[in-house]
């Protein structure tokens, strides 16, 4: 295991020098680069690549791990945040993918993958959950979040209106 620090990576508008350096004295002197793991030609800021003989199964070039110094309990997890600049020097967390353990008991562990997005400037909240119970839309029972399935010619082929607890097929109009 190789641990290096402090390291700063990034890119500044107009930056032409691409490389890397380590500030051994803790200073913020650094240059910018794209980091490749398993590739000598990274195409993104962080580019992980795997080349092996597998041609009919999954490969996993990335792993995100959360460990704890305490005792693991329900809802421990790890996630990915998607941050976007929404104004001059103003970044917002626009979406998240969380994976959490709903049950951590040995041999009965259950996990959920949760998708969260921002709406109307509010903190991103849960819109979709995939868990041991299947796919759950609007787990938080928020009456502002409807659910719909689209077909080739109909944008509301199957529509659940969360504010009235009604289902429509073929349109989004609630006609009881």
């Amino acid at each position: 295991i190789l641990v290096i620090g402090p390291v700063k990576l990034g890119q500044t508008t107009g930056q032409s020098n691409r490389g890397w350096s380590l500030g051994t004295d803790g200073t913020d002197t650094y240059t910018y680069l794209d980091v490749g793991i398993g590739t000598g030609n990274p195409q993104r800021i962080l580019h992980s690549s795997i080349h092996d003989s597998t041609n009919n199964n999954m490969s996993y070039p990335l792993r995100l791990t959360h460990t704890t110094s305490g005792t693991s309990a329900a809802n421990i997890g790890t996630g990915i945040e998607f941050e976007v600049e929404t104004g001059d020097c103003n970044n917002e967390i626009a979406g998240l993918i969380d994976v959490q353990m709903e049950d951590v008991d040995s041999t009965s562990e259950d996990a959920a993958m949760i998708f969260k997005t921002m709406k109307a400037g509010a903190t991103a909240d849960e819109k979709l959950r995939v868990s041991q119970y299947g796919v759950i839309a609007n787990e938080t029972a928020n009456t502002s979040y409807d659910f719909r399935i689209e077909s080739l010619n109909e944008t509301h082929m199957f529509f659940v209106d969360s504010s009235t607890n009604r289902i429509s097929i073929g349109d989004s109009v609630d006609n009881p």
Side-chain angles (χ1 to χ4, degrees):
I1 296 176
L2 174 65
V3 178
I4 302 173
V7 177
K8 291 201 173 189
L9 310 174
Q11 182 173 346
T12 301
T13 303
Q15 178 75 4
S16 60
N17 183 18
R18 300 183 68 78
W20 71 305
S21 63
L22 305 176
T24 57
D25 62 354
T27 64
D28 289 344
T29 57
Y30 59 96
T31 56
Y32 300 91
L33 75 152
D34 291 340
V35 175
I37 301 171
T39 178
N41 186 24
Q43 302 299 306
R44 299 287 184 264
I45 299 262
L46 178 60
H47 181 159
S48 177
S49 179
I50 188 168
H51 177 79
D52 60 20
S53 61
T54 303
N55 64 4
N56 63 352
N57 207 342
M58 294 296 300
S59 293
Y60 298 93
L62 178 66
R63 176 180 288 194
L64 305 174
T65 302
H66 175 191
T67 59
T68 179
S69 60
T71 301
S72 294
N75 299 324
I76 188 172
T78 191
I80 303 171
E81 292 181 332
F82 299 89
E83 185 177 49
V84 179
E85 183 176 21
T86 59
D88 190 27
C89 297
N90 181 54
N91 293 354
E92 299 285 349
I93 304 298
L96 300 96
I97 300 174
D98 295 343
V99 176
Q100 71 182 32
M101 298 303 297
E102 294 180 330
D103 182 347
V104 296
D105 294 333
S106 181
T107 71
S108 66
E109 294 98 335
D110 295 318
M113 181 174 279
I114 303 158
F115 297 85
K116 300 177 180 181
T117 57
M118 174 187 274
K119 179 180 179 184
T123 300
D125 64 353
E126 182 173 332
K127 303 298 189 308
L128 183 69
R129 176 182 294 249
V130 181
S131 73
Q132 73 271 16
Y133 302 112
V135 177
I136 303 168
N138 198 10
E139 169 78 0
T140 59
N142 188 320
T143 58
S144 298
Y145 303 145
D146 297 326
F147 173 77
R148 76 173 193 234
I149 298 174
E150 298 182 358
S151 68
L152 180 61
N153 298 313
E154 178 60 57
T155 60
H156 292 79
M157 181 49 73
F158 181 85
F159 182 76
V160 178
D161 186 332
S162 62
S163 64
T164 63
N165 289 325
R166 299 199 183 240
I167 296 174
S168 297
I169 298 176
D171 64 43
S172 61
V173 179
D174 183 15
N175 294 318

